[in-house]
Protein backbone atom coordinates (compact mmCIF):
# COMPACT_ATOMS: atom_id res chain seq x y z
CA UNK A 1 0.00 0.00 0.00
CA UNK A 2 2.77 2.36 1.04
CA UNK A 3 4.65 1.69 -2.23
CA UNK A 4 1.49 2.24 -4.23
CA UNK A 5 0.67 5.58 -2.66
CA UNK A 6 4.16 6.91 -3.17
CA UNK A 7 3.95 5.94 -6.85
CA UNK A 8 0.64 7.82 -6.94
CA UNK A 9 2.20 10.92 -5.37
CA UNK A 10 5.05 10.71 -7.86
CA UNK A 11 2.59 10.50 -10.77
CA UNK A 12 0.68 13.53 -9.47
CA UNK A 13 3.95 15.42 -9.06
CA UNK A 14 4.99 14.62 -12.62
CA UNK A 15 1.62 15.67 -14.01
CA UNK A 16 1.66 18.94 -12.04
CA UNK A 17 5.21 19.61 -13.20
CA UNK A 18 3.93 19.53 -16.77
CA UNK A 19 0.90 21.64 -15.91
CA UNK A 20 -1.40 18.82 -17.03
CA UNK A 21 -4.16 17.25 -15.01
CA UNK A 22 -4.67 13.52 -14.61
CA UNK A 23 -6.81 12.24 -17.47
CA UNK A 24 -10.26 10.88 -16.72
CA UNK A 25 -10.41 7.83 -18.99
CA UNK A 26 -13.81 7.16 -20.59
CA UNK A 27 -15.17 3.67 -19.68
CA UNK A 28 -15.95 1.02 -22.32
CA UNK A 29 -18.92 -1.10 -23.46
CA UNK A 30 -18.89 -4.50 -25.19
CA UNK A 31 -19.69 -4.99 -28.87
CA UNK A 32 -21.36 -8.24 -29.94
CA UNK A 33 -18.12 -9.23 -31.72
CA UNK A 34 -16.38 -9.25 -28.32
CA UNK A 35 -14.44 -6.02 -28.69
CA UNK A 36 -14.60 -3.05 -26.31
CA UNK A 37 -15.83 0.36 -27.45
CA UNK A 38 -15.35 3.54 -25.39
CA UNK A 39 -18.74 4.81 -24.25
CA UNK A 40 -18.24 8.37 -25.63
CA UNK A 41 -16.38 9.67 -28.69
CA UNK A 42 -15.06 13.02 -29.87
CA UNK A 43 -16.84 14.24 -33.03
CA UNK A 44 -14.72 15.78 -35.80
CA UNK A 45 -17.22 17.05 -38.39
CA UNK A 46 -16.80 20.77 -39.05
CA UNK A 47 -20.24 21.23 -40.64
CA UNK A 48 -21.55 21.39 -44.19
CA UNK A 49 -19.71 24.22 -45.78
CA UNK A 50 -16.75 24.74 -43.52
CA UNK A 51 -13.47 24.37 -45.33
CA UNK A 52 -11.05 22.67 -42.95
CA UNK A 53 -8.11 24.74 -41.75
CA UNK A 54 -4.62 23.37 -41.27
CA UNK A 55 -4.76 22.05 -37.72
CA UNK A 56 -7.85 22.92 -35.70
CA UNK A 57 -9.05 19.31 -35.56
CA UNK A 58 -5.53 18.04 -34.84
CA UNK A 59 -5.41 20.35 -31.84
CA UNK A 60 -8.87 19.24 -30.65
CA UNK A 61 -7.99 15.53 -30.92
CA UNK A 62 -4.76 16.12 -28.97
CA UNK A 63 -6.61 17.92 -26.20
CA UNK A 64 -9.25 15.19 -26.12
CA UNK A 65 -6.78 12.31 -25.80
CA UNK A 66 -4.87 14.22 -23.11
CA UNK A 67 -8.15 14.70 -21.21
CA UNK A 68 -8.98 10.96 -21.37
CA UNK A 69 -11.04 10.46 -24.52
CA UNK A 70 -10.07 7.19 -26.20
CA UNK A 71 -12.55 7.19 -29.10
CA UNK A 72 -12.43 9.54 -32.09
CA UNK A 73 -15.24 9.60 -34.65
CA UNK A 74 -14.23 10.76 -38.12
CA UNK A 75 -15.09 10.14 -41.79
CA UNK A 76 -13.49 10.36 -45.22
CA UNK A 77 -16.11 13.00 -46.11
CA UNK A 78 -15.00 15.32 -43.27
CA UNK A 79 -11.69 15.90 -45.09
CA UNK A 80 -9.76 15.97 -41.80
CA UNK A 81 -8.66 12.33 -41.42
CA UNK A 82 -5.08 13.58 -41.91
CA UNK A 83 -5.44 15.90 -38.89
CA UNK A 84 -6.86 13.09 -36.73
CA UNK A 85 -3.94 10.92 -37.84
CA UNK A 86 -1.32 13.51 -36.92
CA UNK A 87 -2.78 13.97 -33.43
CA UNK A 88 -2.99 10.22 -32.87
CA UNK A 89 0.63 9.77 -34.02
CA UNK A 90 1.76 12.52 -31.66
CA UNK A 91 -0.05 11.00 -28.69
CA UNK A 92 1.34 7.54 -29.51
CA UNK A 93 4.85 9.04 -29.61
CA UNK A 94 4.12 10.44 -26.14
CA UNK A 95 3.24 7.01 -24.74
CA UNK A 96 -0.44 6.32 -25.44
CA UNK A 97 -0.77 2.84 -26.94
CA UNK A 98 -2.54 2.28 -30.25
CA UNK A 99 -4.60 -0.52 -28.62
CA UNK A 100 -5.95 1.96 -26.06
CA UNK A 101 -7.39 4.14 -28.82
CA UNK A 102 -10.56 3.46 -30.79
CA UNK A 103 -10.73 5.13 -34.18
CA UNK A 104 -13.96 5.13 -36.17
CA UNK A 105 -14.18 6.27 -39.79
CA UNK A 106 -16.77 5.98 -42.55
CA UNK A 107 -17.16 4.93 -46.19
CA UNK A 108 -18.45 7.75 -48.40
CA UNK A 109 -21.49 7.45 -50.69
CA UNK A 110 -19.38 7.55 -53.85
CA UNK A 111 -17.67 4.23 -53.02
CA UNK A 112 -20.62 1.87 -52.60
CA UNK A 113 -19.58 -0.69 -55.22
CA UNK A 114 -18.50 -3.88 -53.45
CA UNK A 115 -15.00 -3.72 -54.98
CA UNK A 116 -14.64 -0.01 -54.09
CA UNK A 117 -14.92 -0.53 -50.31
CA UNK A 118 -11.47 -1.94 -49.52
CA UNK A 119 -9.63 0.68 -51.67
CA UNK A 120 -11.66 3.45 -50.00
CA UNK A 121 -10.70 2.15 -46.57
CA UNK A 122 -7.05 1.91 -47.65
CA UNK A 123 -7.26 5.59 -48.67
CA UNK A 124 -8.69 6.50 -45.25
CA UNK A 125 -5.97 4.47 -43.51
CA UNK A 126 -3.35 6.29 -45.53
CA UNK A 127 -4.90 9.65 -44.55
CA UNK A 128 -4.97 8.53 -40.90
CA UNK A 129 -1.48 7.00 -40.97
CA UNK A 130 -2.90 3.82 -39.42
CA UNK A 131 -2.69 0.09 -40.17
CA UNK A 132 -6.30 -0.50 -39.15
CA UNK A 133 -9.35 1.33 -37.85
CA UNK A 134 -11.32 0.00 -34.91
CA UNK A 135 -14.66 0.61 -36.57
CA UNK A 136 -15.62 1.22 -40.21
CA UNK A 137 -19.16 2.38 -40.97
CA UNK A 138 -21.17 2.77 -44.18
CA UNK A 139 -21.83 6.51 -43.80
CA UNK A 140 -25.26 6.47 -45.55
CA UNK A 141 -27.31 3.76 -47.28
CA UNK A 142 -27.64 6.19 -50.21
CA UNK A 143 -25.10 5.89 -53.04
CA UNK A 144 -24.12 8.90 -55.13
CA UNK A 145 -21.26 9.29 -57.61
CA UNK A 146 -18.94 12.27 -57.40
CA UNK A 147 -20.72 13.80 -60.43
CA UNK A 148 -23.84 13.88 -58.20
CA UNK A 149 -25.82 11.24 -60.12
CA UNK A 150 -27.28 8.57 -57.89
CA UNK A 151 -25.60 5.21 -57.54
CA UNK A 152 -28.32 2.60 -57.01
CA UNK A 153 -25.90 -0.09 -55.79
CA UNK A 154 -27.67 -2.30 -53.25
CA UNK A 155 -26.25 -1.58 -49.78
CA UNK A 156 -26.08 -5.38 -49.33
CA UNK A 157 -23.30 -5.36 -51.96
CA UNK A 158 -21.61 -2.54 -50.06
CA UNK A 159 -21.93 -4.60 -46.88
CA UNK A 160 -20.16 -7.55 -48.57
CA UNK A 161 -17.27 -5.14 -49.21
CA UNK A 162 -17.28 -4.14 -45.54
CA UNK A 163 -17.05 -7.79 -44.48
CA UNK A 164 -14.06 -8.19 -46.83
CA UNK A 165 -12.38 -5.17 -45.21
CA UNK A 166 -12.82 -6.81 -41.82
CA UNK A 167 -11.51 -10.17 -43.06
CA UNK A 168 -8.37 -8.38 -44.28
CA UNK A 169 -7.90 -6.92 -40.77
CA UNK A 170 -8.20 -3.34 -42.04
CA UNK A 171 -11.23 -2.75 -39.80
CA UNK A 172 -11.55 -4.60 -36.49
CA UNK A 173 -15.32 -4.07 -36.35
CA UNK A 174 -17.86 -2.98 -38.96
CA UNK A 175 -21.19 -1.20 -38.77
CA UNK A 176 -23.61 1.19 -40.43
CA UNK A 177 -24.75 4.78 -40.08
CA UNK A 178 -28.08 6.36 -41.00
CA UNK A 179 -29.67 2.98 -41.76
CA UNK A 180 -33.27 2.47 -40.66
CA UNK A 181 -34.60 -0.65 -38.95
CA UNK A 182 -35.87 -2.25 -42.18
CA UNK A 183 -32.50 -1.76 -43.84
CA UNK A 184 -30.67 -3.47 -40.96
CA UNK A 185 -33.28 -6.24 -40.97
CA UNK A 186 -32.58 -6.80 -44.66
CA UNK A 187 -28.88 -7.40 -43.90
CA UNK A 188 -29.87 -9.94 -41.23
CA UNK A 189 -32.52 -11.65 -43.42
CA UNK A 190 -29.82 -12.32 -45.98
CA UNK A 191 -27.77 -14.12 -43.34
CA UNK A 192 -24.93 -11.62 -43.53
CA UNK A 193 -22.71 -10.63 -40.61
CA UNK A 194 -24.59 -8.42 -38.15
CA UNK A 195 -23.40 -4.79 -37.87
CA UNK A 196 -21.86 -4.12 -34.45
CA UNK A 197 -22.89 -0.45 -34.42
CA UNK A 198 -25.59 1.83 -35.79
CA UNK A 199 -24.63 5.51 -35.77
CA UNK A 200 -27.66 7.84 -36.00
CA UNK A 201 -28.82 11.23 -34.75
CA UNK A 202 -29.92 11.04 -31.10
CA UNK A 203 -30.57 14.06 -28.90
CA UNK A 204 -33.28 15.52 -26.67
CA UNK A 205 -35.45 16.38 -29.69
CA UNK A 206 -34.90 13.03 -31.47
CA UNK A 207 -34.76 10.23 -28.92
CA UNK A 208 -35.90 7.39 -31.24
CA UNK A 209 -37.12 4.98 -28.51
CA UNK A 210 -38.32 2.33 -31.00
CA UNK A 211 -35.04 2.26 -32.89
CA UNK A 212 -33.07 2.07 -29.60
CA UNK A 213 -35.26 -0.82 -28.40
CA UNK A 214 -34.72 -2.65 -31.72
CA UNK A 215 -30.93 -2.21 -31.45
CA UNK A 216 -30.97 -3.38 -27.81
CA UNK A 217 -32.85 -6.55 -28.88
CA UNK A 218 -30.31 -7.15 -31.66
CA UNK A 219 -27.31 -6.33 -29.43
CA UNK A 220 -26.28 -3.55 -31.83
CA UNK A 221 -24.62 -0.59 -30.12
CA UNK A 222 -25.92 2.88 -30.96
CA UNK A 223 -23.61 5.86 -31.42
CA UNK A 224 -25.58 9.10 -31.12
CA UNK A 225 -24.55 11.93 -33.43
CA UNK A 226 -25.41 15.61 -33.04
CA UNK A 227 -25.93 14.84 -29.33
CA UNK A 228 -26.65 18.48 -28.47
CA UNK A 229 -29.38 18.83 -31.10
CA UNK A 230 -30.71 22.39 -30.91
CA UNK A 231 -29.41 23.13 -27.42
CA UNK A 232 -27.24 26.07 -28.46
CA UNK A 233 -28.73 29.29 -29.85
CA UNK A 234 -25.84 29.57 -32.28
CA UNK A 235 -26.69 26.20 -33.87
CA UNK A 236 -30.48 25.88 -33.55
CA UNK A 237 -32.30 26.30 -36.86
CA UNK A 238 -35.29 28.68 -36.94
CA UNK A 239 -38.33 26.88 -35.56
CA UNK A 240 -36.32 24.14 -33.83
CA UNK A 241 -38.14 22.90 -30.71
CA UNK A 242 -36.89 23.56 -27.17
CA UNK A 243 -34.93 23.13 -24.99
CA UNK A 244 -32.13 25.67 -25.26
CA UNK A 245 -29.15 25.70 -22.91
CA UNK A 246 -30.80 28.21 -20.52
CA UNK A 247 -34.03 26.20 -20.14
CA UNK A 248 -34.97 26.47 -16.43
CA UNK A 249 -35.72 22.74 -16.06
CA UNK A 250 -32.30 21.83 -17.46
CA UNK A 251 -30.48 24.47 -15.45
CA UNK A 252 -32.07 23.11 -12.27
CA UNK A 253 -31.03 19.52 -13.04
CA UNK A 254 -27.50 20.69 -13.85
CA UNK A 255 -27.22 22.66 -10.59
CA UNK A 256 -28.40 19.68 -8.56
CA UNK A 257 -25.52 17.58 -9.92
CA UNK A 258 -22.94 20.39 -10.08
CA UNK A 259 -22.71 19.80 -13.85
CA UNK A 260 -23.31 21.94 -16.93
CA UNK A 261 -26.44 21.67 -19.09
CA UNK A 262 -24.43 20.18 -22.01
CA UNK A 263 -23.15 17.51 -19.59
CA UNK A 264 -26.75 16.71 -18.58
CA UNK A 265 -27.72 16.30 -22.24
CA UNK A 266 -24.80 13.88 -22.76
CA UNK A 267 -25.47 11.96 -19.54
CA UNK A 268 -29.06 11.38 -20.62
CA UNK A 269 -27.82 9.69 -23.81
CA UNK A 270 -25.40 7.56 -21.76
CA UNK A 271 -28.33 6.43 -19.60
CA UNK A 272 -30.29 5.51 -22.75
CA UNK A 273 -27.37 3.20 -23.56
CA UNK A 274 -26.20 5.47 -26.38
CA UNK A 275 -22.55 6.37 -27.11
CA UNK A 276 -22.64 10.17 -27.57
CA UNK A 277 -20.30 11.88 -30.06
CA UNK A 278 -19.95 15.49 -28.86
CA UNK A 279 -17.90 17.64 -31.25
CA UNK A 280 -15.96 20.64 -30.02
CA UNK A 281 -12.87 22.53 -31.09
CA UNK A 282 -12.79 24.41 -27.78
CA UNK A 283 -10.39 23.08 -25.14
CA UNK A 284 -12.57 23.85 -22.10
CA UNK A 285 -15.64 22.23 -23.73
CA UNK A 286 -13.67 19.17 -24.83
CA UNK A 287 -12.47 18.86 -21.23
CA UNK A 288 -15.98 18.96 -19.76
CA UNK A 289 -17.95 16.93 -22.32
CA UNK A 290 -16.47 13.55 -21.32
CA UNK A 291 -16.93 14.05 -17.56
CA UNK A 292 -20.35 12.39 -17.53
CA UNK A 293 -19.59 9.02 -15.94
CA UNK A 294 -19.46 10.08 -12.27
CA UNK A 295 -23.15 10.82 -11.62
CA UNK A 296 -26.63 9.48 -12.37
CA UNK A 297 -29.92 11.11 -13.26
CA UNK A 298 -32.97 10.30 -11.15
CA UNK A 299 -36.09 8.70 -12.67
CA UNK A 300 -37.88 12.03 -12.34
CA UNK A 301 -35.09 13.91 -14.10
CA UNK A 302 -35.10 11.34 -16.91
CA UNK A 303 -38.86 11.80 -17.26
CA UNK A 304 -38.35 15.57 -17.61
CA UNK A 305 -35.73 15.00 -20.31
CA UNK A 306 -37.83 12.38 -22.12
CA UNK A 307 -40.63 14.94 -22.49
CA UNK A 308 -38.45 17.05 -24.85
CA UNK A 309 -38.68 14.34 -27.56
CA UNK A 310 -40.35 15.80 -30.68
CA UNK A 311 -39.12 13.40 -33.36
CA UNK A 312 -37.39 16.50 -34.76
CA UNK A 313 -34.42 15.73 -37.03
CA UNK A 314 -31.53 18.22 -37.25
CA UNK A 315 -29.95 16.44 -40.25
CA UNK A 316 -32.71 15.11 -42.55
CA UNK A 317 -30.53 15.25 -45.72
CA UNK A 318 -33.62 16.12 -47.75
CA UNK A 319 -31.47 16.43 -50.87
CA UNK A 320 -31.49 12.60 -51.03
CA UNK A 321 -35.23 12.29 -50.43
CA UNK A 322 -35.91 10.70 -53.83
CA UNK A 323 -33.18 8.05 -53.58
CA UNK A 324 -34.80 4.60 -53.10
CA UNK A 325 -32.66 4.01 -50.01
CA UNK A 326 -33.42 7.36 -48.33
CA UNK A 327 -33.63 6.13 -44.73
CA UNK A 328 -35.85 8.60 -42.89
CA UNK A 329 -39.55 9.44 -42.72
CA UNK A 330 -40.66 11.39 -45.82
CA UNK A 331 -42.86 14.19 -44.51
N1 LIG B 1 -22.90 9.68 -39.21
C1 LIG B 1 -23.31 10.85 -39.60
O1 LIG B 1 -23.97 10.99 -40.65
C2 LIG B 1 -23.04 12.05 -38.76
C3 LIG B 1 -23.79 13.23 -38.96
C4 LIG B 1 -23.52 14.32 -38.12
C5 LIG B 1 -22.55 14.22 -37.13
N2 LIG B 1 -21.81 13.07 -36.98
C6 LIG B 1 -20.75 12.95 -35.94
O2 LIG B 1 -21.26 13.42 -34.70
C7 LIG B 1 -20.45 14.51 -34.25
C8 LIG B 1 -21.26 15.50 -33.44
O3 LIG B 1 -22.32 16.05 -34.17
P1 LIG B 1 -22.33 17.58 -34.62
O4 LIG B 1 -20.95 18.01 -34.91
O5 LIG B 1 -23.36 17.67 -35.69
O6 LIG B 1 -22.95 18.38 -33.40
P2 LIG B 1 -22.84 18.47 -31.79
O7 LIG B 1 -21.69 17.69 -31.27
O8 LIG B 1 -24.19 18.14 -31.25
O9 LIG B 1 -22.61 20.02 -31.57
C9 LIG B 1 -21.40 20.64 -31.87
C10 LIG B 1 -21.50 22.11 -31.50
O10 LIG B 1 -21.68 22.25 -30.09
C11 LIG B 1 -20.71 23.14 -29.57
N3 LIG B 1 -20.36 22.65 -28.23
C12 LIG B 1 -19.78 21.46 -27.92
N4 LIG B 1 -19.67 21.30 -26.59
C13 LIG B 1 -20.18 22.42 -26.02
C14 LIG B 1 -20.33 22.84 -24.68
N5 LIG B 1 -19.94 22.05 -23.65
N6 LIG B 1 -20.88 24.06 -24.45
C15 LIG B 1 -21.28 24.84 -25.49
N7 LIG B 1 -21.17 24.49 -26.79
C16 LIG B 1 -20.62 23.28 -27.06
C17 LIG B 1 -19.55 23.11 -30.54
O11 LIG B 1 -18.85 24.32 -30.51
P3 LIG B 1 -17.23 24.47 -30.66
O12 LIG B 1 -16.75 23.40 -31.60
O13 LIG B 1 -17.09 25.84 -31.23
O14 LIG B 1 -16.67 24.33 -29.29
C18 LIG B 1 -20.29 22.92 -31.86
O15 LIG B 1 -20.76 24.15 -32.36
C19 LIG B 1 -19.86 15.07 -35.55
O16 LIG B 1 -18.76 15.92 -35.29
C20 LIG B 1 -19.53 13.80 -36.28
O17 LIG B 1 -18.35 13.22 -35.76
C21 LIG B 1 -22.07 11.98 -37.77
C1 LIG C 1 -26.38 21.78 -43.87
O1 LIG C 1 -27.04 22.10 -45.09
C2 LIG C 1 -28.45 21.98 -45.05
C3 LIG C 1 -28.96 22.27 -46.43
O2 LIG C 1 -28.34 21.42 -47.37
C4 LIG C 1 -29.01 22.93 -44.02
O3 LIG C 1 -30.41 22.77 -43.92
C5 LIG C 1 -28.39 22.65 -42.66
O4 LIG C 1 -28.77 23.63 -41.73
C6 LIG C 1 -26.85 22.66 -42.73
N1 LIG C 1 -26.30 22.19 -41.46
C7 LIG C 1 -25.26 22.77 -40.88
C8 LIG C 1 -24.82 22.17 -39.59
O5 LIG C 1 -24.67 23.73 -41.33
C1 LIG D 1 -21.45 9.91 -63.32
O1 LIG D 1 -20.45 9.01 -62.89
C2 LIG D 1 -20.77 7.63 -63.06
C3 LIG D 1 -19.68 6.79 -62.41
O2 LIG D 1 -18.43 7.21 -62.80
C4 LIG D 1 -20.98 7.32 -64.53
O3 LIG D 1 -21.31 5.95 -64.72
C5 LIG D 1 -22.09 8.20 -65.08
O4 LIG D 1 -22.25 7.99 -66.46
C6 LIG D 1 -21.82 9.67 -64.79
N1 LIG D 1 -22.99 10.46 -65.16
C7 LIG D 1 -22.92 11.65 -65.76
C8 LIG D 1 -24.22 12.31 -66.06
O5 LIG D 1 -21.86 12.16 -66.06
C1 LIG E 1 -18.36 21.36 -8.88
O1 LIG E 1 -17.73 21.12 -10.14
C2 LIG E 1 -16.54 21.87 -10.34
C3 LIG E 1 -16.10 21.65 -11.79
O2 LIG E 1 -16.00 20.28 -12.08
C4 LIG E 1 -15.50 21.46 -9.30
O3 LIG E 1 -14.32 22.20 -9.48
C5 LIG E 1 -16.09 21.71 -7.91
O4 LIG E 1 -15.18 21.23 -6.92
C6 LIG E 1 -17.43 21.01 -7.73
N1 LIG E 1 -18.07 21.40 -6.48
C7 LIG E 1 -18.62 20.53 -5.64
C8 LIG E 1 -19.29 21.10 -4.45
O5 LIG E 1 -18.58 19.32 -5.84
Amino acid sequence: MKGLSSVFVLVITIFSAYGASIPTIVPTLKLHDGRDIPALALGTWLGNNTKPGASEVEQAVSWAIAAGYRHIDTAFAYRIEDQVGRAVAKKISEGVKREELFITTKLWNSEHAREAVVPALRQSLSNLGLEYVDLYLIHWPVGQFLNQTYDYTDYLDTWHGMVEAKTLGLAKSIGVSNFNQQQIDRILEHGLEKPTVLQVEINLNLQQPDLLAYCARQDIRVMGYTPFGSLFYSKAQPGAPPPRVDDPALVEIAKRHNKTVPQIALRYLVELGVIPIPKSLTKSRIEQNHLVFDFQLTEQEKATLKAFDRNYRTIPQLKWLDHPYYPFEKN
Side-chain angles (χ1 to χ4, degrees):
M1 266 325 271
K2 191 144 183 289
L4 253 186
S5 57
S6 50
V7 168
F8 192 59
V9 168
L10 180 68
V11 167
I12 290 179
T13 314
I14 291 169
F15 270 109
S16 339
Y18 283 89
S21 50
I22 297 172
T24 302
I25 306 291
V26 171
T28 60
L29 297 167
K30 276 276 177 232
L31 296 175
H32 72 64
D33 65 6
R35 301 188 70 249
D36 294 318
I37 184 168
L40 180 145
L42 180 76
T44 62
W45 180 49
L46 296 173
N48 275 335
N49 305 313
T50 314
K51 201 168 180 295
S55 63
E56 75 275 55
V57 175
E58 180 179 351
Q59 186 71 259
V61 171
S62 294
W63 287 328
I65 294 173
Y69 290 67
R70 290 295 175 263
H71 185 175
I72 311 297
D73 178 76
T74 191
F76 178 81
Y78 302 165
R79 297 181 292 169
I80 46 72
E81 286 177 314
D82 56 331
Q83 294 195 43
V84 172
R86 285 200 296 277
V88 165
K90 177 167 148 265
K91 287 294 151 190
I92 289 175
S93 78
E94 291 170 8
V96 176
K97 293 198 180 68
R98 172 66 185 91
E99 314 83 79
E100 294 168 19
L101 297 175
F102 193 102
I103 310 297
T104 296
T105 196
K106 313 185 192 87
L107 175 80
W108 189 236
N109 305 352
S110 54
E111 313 301 320
H112 273 205
R114 176 174 180 168
E115 63 278 7
V117 176
V118 165
L121 177 50
R122 288 196 195 277
Q123 178 63 59
S124 282
L125 290 171
S126 159
N127 296 345
L128 288 160
L130 296 176
E131 307 266 309
Y132 67 88
V133 290
D134 295 276
L135 178 62
Y136 199 40
L137 303 175
I138 302 180
H139 206 147
W140 291 87
V142 170
Q144 185 176 39
F145 297 114
L146 291 174
N147 62 17
Q148 304 298 307
T149 56
Y150 282 150
D151 174 3
Y152 298 111
T153 296
D154 190 334
Y155 51 81
L156 294 183
D157 289 344
T158 315
W159 188 248
H160 277 291
M162 299 292 283
V163 172
E164 284 157 12
K166 186 186 162 194
T167 305
L168 290 170
L170 302 175
K172 299 283 184 191
S173 299
I174 51 177
V176 295
S177 178
N178 297 300
F179 277 48
N180 63 35
Q181 182 175 323
Q182 291 69 35
Q183 291 169 332
I184 298 173
D185 271 337
R186 222 179 129 237
I187 293 177
L188 304 183
E189 283 158 12
H190 281 75
L192 303 180
E193 186 164 331
K194 182 161 73 173
T196 54
V197 166
L198 169 65
Q199 183 177 127
V200 282
E201 179 177 344
I202 308 272
N203 50 53
L204 289 174
N205 293 155
L206 186 68
Q207 300 188 22
Q208 311 214 59
D210 295 341
L211 187 59
L212 294 192
Y214 167 79
C215 288
R217 284 198 302 279
Q218 294 291 353
D219 200 10
I220 294 172
R221 289 281 173 201
V222 176
M223 290 177 70
Y225 75 65
T226 316
F228 297 123
S230 306
L231 201 57
F232 307 119
Y233 286 94
S234 56
K235 256 201 104 193
Q237 290 160 26
R244 298 289 174 271
V245 69
D246 57 355
D247 186 285
L250 293 188
V251 171
E252 195 196 314
I253 295 173
K255 273 202 184 132
R256 212 177 290 143
H257 294 283
N258 188 33
K259 291 285 177 181
T260 66
V261 167
Q263 285 172 321
I264 298 300
L266 295 173
R267 178 67 208 183
Y268 181 58
L269 298 196
V270 168
E271 297 205 11
L272 292 178
V274 170
I275 299 168
I277 318 173
K279 171 264 177 183
S280 177
L281 297 178
T282 311
K283 189 165 188 268
S284 58
R285 292 171 179 168
I286 291 168
E287 289 176 349
Q288 65 164 271
N289 287 343
H290 76 308
L291 301 180
V292 295
F293 297 95
D294 57 353
F295 72 109
Q296 262 191 311
L297 299 168
T298 66
E299 291 305 319
Q300 199 189 337
E301 289 167 344
K302 283 191 276 190
T304 301
L305 295 165
K306 186 171 170 44
F308 287 116
D309 192 7
R310 292 287 179 283
N311 209 27
Y312 171 83
R313 208 174 276 284
T314 311
I315 305 188
Q317 291 293 25
L318 295 174
K319 60 188 174 189
W320 298 327
L321 196 64
D322 57 350
H323 191 290
Y325 297 145
Y326 180 77
F328 307 138
E329 53 287 310
K330 300 192 181 191
N331 47 31

